[in-house]
Amino acid sequence: MIEYRLNCDADPTDYLTVDKDGGDLEFFAHRGGGSFLVSIYPTVDAARTFARGILALADEIDGGEAKEEPKPAAVRVGDRFTVTRSFLEWAHVRAGDVVTVVEFVDDDSGDFRAVIEGGSSHRWLFGPENIGNGLEPLGTRVTADEPATVTDPRLTYFHQAEAALAEFEHTAADIIALARFLAGE
């Protein structure tokens, strides 16, 4: 049996209980820690009307139940944001920069790392609390087919090496030798 109990705010030893006994609803008023005062057996429709009346009175007092704030959409890798606050979270970003989410921190915080499009490959740390407070969603997502634009000299060298070796059969040792040469070793 499920019983609902409503304690008096002024004296917690006074309370009302409501439960179901078969097809009947039972309301009981208790005083002083358990002494029974009165019982009421309303019809189901009368109980609903009574409950609606209690809700209406409570709404008049406090304006109704608090509305839940909509939760922001989950951030995903590839999401793009416009920076609206320079040096947000001490990152070397400026208002107007566009950043792309590239990875998440390995915990439940929701923190993520993002790169500045057209900037260095450095990954800056932001959190969900920055969305709408320094980062504004662009509404577009970069996909695997369309990687974020990052300019890094090493990436340029890699693509040049890839193109240079494309017409030749090459091994991992050849690529490492080329990398060492490009690094000046």
Side-chain angles (χ1 to χ4, degrees):
M1 170 177 73
I2 297 175
E3 177 181 270
Y4 293 95
R5 180 177 172 141
L6 177 65
N7 287 331
C8 175
D9 195 34
D11 183 356
T13 62
D14 293 345
Y15 59 94
L16 298 174
T17 59
V18 179
D19 61 38
K20 179 178 77 116
D21 183 17
D24 295 324
L25 290 173
E26 302 173 320
F27 285 70
F28 295 99
H30 303 268
R31 181 170 192 91
S35 62
F36 170 68
L37 291 176
V38 66
S39 62
I40 300 171
Y41 298 89
T43 65
V44 173
D45 286 338
R48 284 191 184 104
T49 301
F50 182 73
R52 286 186 195 105
I54 291 171
L55 289 173
L57 290 172
D59 288 350
E60 283 182 29
I61 293 170
D62 69 3
E65 293 182 29
K67 305 283 188 251
E68 282 190 32
E69 292 292 322
K71 294 182 181 178
V75 176
R76 298 189 312 196
V77 170
D79 283 353
R80 300 171 69 221
F81 295 91
T82 300
V83 177
T84 59
R85 216 169 64 215
S86 295
F87 303 107
L88 178 65
E89 298 293 334
W90 304 104
H92 289 227
V93 294
R94 300 214 185 273
D97 285 346
V98 174
V99 296
T100 301
V101 176
V102 292
E103 68 182 354
F104 288 91
V105 176
D106 293 331
D107 61 20
D108 294 333
S109 68
D111 289 352
F112 55 91
R113 288 190 175 87
V115 296
I116 302 170
E117 292 188 8
S120 76
S121 61
H122 190 83
R123 296 169 181 222
W124 299 105
L125 182 67
F126 301 105
E129 68 278 0
N130 297 126
I131 299 171
N133 187 25
L135 293 176
E136 292 299 325
L138 275 177
T140 59
R141 174 173 287 115
V142 175
T143 64
D145 297 333
E146 173 191 5
T149 306
V150 177
T151 57
D152 181 336
R154 293 173 296 175
L155 188 60
T156 302
Y157 292 141
F158 172 78
H159 289 304
Q160 288 173 351
E162 185 179 48
L165 294 172
E167 57 189 79
F168 302 104
E169 283 190 36
H170 50 279
T171 66
D174 296 332
I175 295 172
I176 291 170
L178 177 62
R180 285 189 175 131
F181 170 75
L182 292 172
E185 291 181 16

